[in-house]
């Protein structure tokens, strides 16, 4: 029965201490290295799954099937050493299996994205790869494809989470902008209301002043006319009296 599964995520420290391919005794040249012919007639199916996984997620998958790791290192360190010795592309996952020893290791390259090399993701990949091997007859092709299906699912979850995060941030930014705009509108309106009465008062006083000025002018004109009329009356009055006296004298 399959007993031991290892999930090894962020392996930058250990790979830095021991990253020579000579220590592992294994050289990976292809996506699939199956010395035990565990995939059998399903090798092409698994190869197609590797291509699909890379196309949908950008993750490069390597499968390594051996009878034993033949190393004094822990399975985790051994798999990490093998993976880093290939100078892997970013986002590379290695599924290493030692069929006789009952060991299964999932290792992720240290130059991978955070969502892929997080321990949570690698634990899920390890569990997905191990489950088909717990049957009475281990399903080796199913183990590989199950792990790749989990890679696709984890990528979708990561993308959704990123989209939600971006959406929340965008919403917060929009709300902040709206609050600023509303605050500015309120400030402008308050200032406008404060200025309008003063302008109105100035306009009202100006009109009143004009009316008062026109009234004073009209009054002065009326007064001048009254004085002129009075002067004319005073000047014409004596002349009329003298003429009357002369007429009376002639009549006598």
């Amino acid at each position: 029965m399959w007993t031991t599964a290892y999930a090894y995520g962020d392996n930058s420290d250990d790979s830095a201490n021991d990253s020579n391919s000579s220590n592992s005794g294994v050289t990976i040249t292809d996506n699939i290295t199956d010395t035990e012919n565990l995939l059998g007639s399903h090798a092409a199916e698994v190869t197609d799954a590797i291509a699909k996984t890379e196309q949908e997620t950008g993750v490069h998958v390597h499968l390594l099937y051996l009878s034993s790791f033949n190393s004094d290192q822990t399975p985790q360190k051994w798999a990490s050493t093998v993976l880093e010795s290939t100078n892997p592309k970013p986002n590379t996952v290695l599924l290493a299996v030692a069929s006789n020893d009952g060991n299964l290791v999932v290792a992720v390259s240290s130059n991978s994205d955070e969502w892929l090399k997080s321990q949570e993701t690698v634990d899920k990949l390890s569990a997905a790869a191990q489950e088909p091997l717990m049957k009475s007859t281990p399903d080796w092709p199913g183990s590989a494809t199950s792990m790749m299906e989990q890679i696709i699912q984890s990528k979708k979850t990561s993308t959704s989470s990123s989209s939600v995060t971006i959406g929340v941030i965008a919403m917060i930014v929009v709300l902040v902008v709206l609050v600023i705009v509303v605050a500015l509108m309120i400030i402008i309106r308050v200032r406008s209301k404060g200025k309008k009465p003063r302008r109105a008062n100035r306009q009202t006083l100006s009109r009143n002043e004009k009316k008062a000025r026109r009234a004073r002018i009209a009054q002065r004109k009326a007064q001048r006319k009254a004085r002129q009329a009075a002067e004319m009356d005073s000047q014409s009055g004596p002349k009329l009296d003298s003429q009357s006296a002369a007429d009376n004298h002639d009549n006598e």
Side-chain angles (χ1 to χ4, degrees):
M1 180 177 291
W2 202 259
T3 58
T4 308
Y6 301 93
Y8 199 63
D10 191 351
N11 44 49
S12 55
D13 292 338
D14 291 318
S15 62
N17 294 331
D18 189 3
S19 60
N20 294 321
S21 60
S22 59
N23 291 338
S24 66
V26 176
T27 301
I28 300 177
T29 57
D30 300 315
N31 287 336
I32 300 176
T33 302
D34 186 4
T35 63
E36 303 300 295
N37 194 31
L38 296 178
L39 300 180
S41 61
H42 296 281
E45 175 186 337
V46 174
T47 298
D48 291 341
I50 292 174
K52 177 184 176 183
T53 302
E54 183 170 353
Q55 181 180 6
E56 293 189 14
T57 66
V59 175
H60 313 282
V61 176
H62 289 291
L63 304 177
L64 178 58
Y65 298 98
L66 304 171
S67 61
S68 176
F69 293 154
N70 290 323
S71 174
D72 294 333
Q73 293 178 314
T74 63
Q76 298 98 317
K77 286 187 177 181
W78 183 90
S80 175
T81 299
V82 171
L83 177 57
E84 297 300 328
S85 70
T86 65
N87 294 319
K89 297 178 180 179
N91 298 325
T92 297
V93 174
L94 171 66
L95 172 61
V97 174
S99 57
N100 290 345
D101 298 339
N103 289 332
L104 179 150
V105 183
V106 173
V108 176
S109 62
S110 59
N111 57 354
S112 297
D113 294 338
E114 290 299 327
W115 72 268
L116 182 59
K117 68 179 182 179
S118 70
Q119 193 62 50
E120 179 182 0
T121 298
V122 182
D123 287 341
K124 290 180 179 179
L125 299 184
S126 178
Q130 185 184 21
E131 184 177 0
L133 303 181
M134 303 304 294
K135 301 177 181 179
S136 56
T137 300
D139 183 0
W140 300 104
S143 171
T145 56
S146 178
M147 183 194 72
M148 286 182 275
E149 288 173 358
Q150 182 59 51
I151 291 174
I152 295 173
Q153 181 60 42
S154 296
K155 174 62 174 179
K156 290 180 179 178
T157 301
S158 172
T159 302
S160 299
S161 300
S162 298
S163 299
V164 170
T165 301
I166 292 173
V168 171
I169 293 174
M171 185 178 298
I172 292 173
V173 171
V174 170
L175 289 174
V176 170
V177 171
L178 287 175
V179 169
I180 293 174
V181 170
V182 171
L184 288 175
M185 291 178 65
I186 293 173
I187 292 172
I188 293 172
R189 182 172 298 179
V190 169
R191 289 182 176 178
S192 299
K193 287 183 178 180
K195 290 180 179 179
K196 285 181 179 179
R198 291 196 294 271
R199 291 179 180 175
N201 290 335
R202 285 197 296 269
Q203 292 175 355
T204 300
L205 291 175
S206 177
R207 292 195 187 100
N208 292 335
E209 289 175 354
K210 289 179 179 179
K211 290 179 180 179
R213 192 161 44 245
R214 285 195 295 267
R216 288 194 298 270
I217 292 172
Q219 184 179 7
R220 284 196 294 270
K221 287 182 178 180
Q223 290 174 351
R224 281 199 301 270
K225 288 182 179 180
R227 285 197 300 272
Q228 290 174 357
E231 290 175 356
M232 291 177 64
D233 291 341
S234 63
Q235 291 176 359
S236 61
K239 290 181 180 179
L240 290 174
D241 294 338
S242 300
Q243 185 64 39
S244 297
D247 289 341
N248 293 331
H249 179 75
D250 292 335
N251 290 332
E252 292 176 355

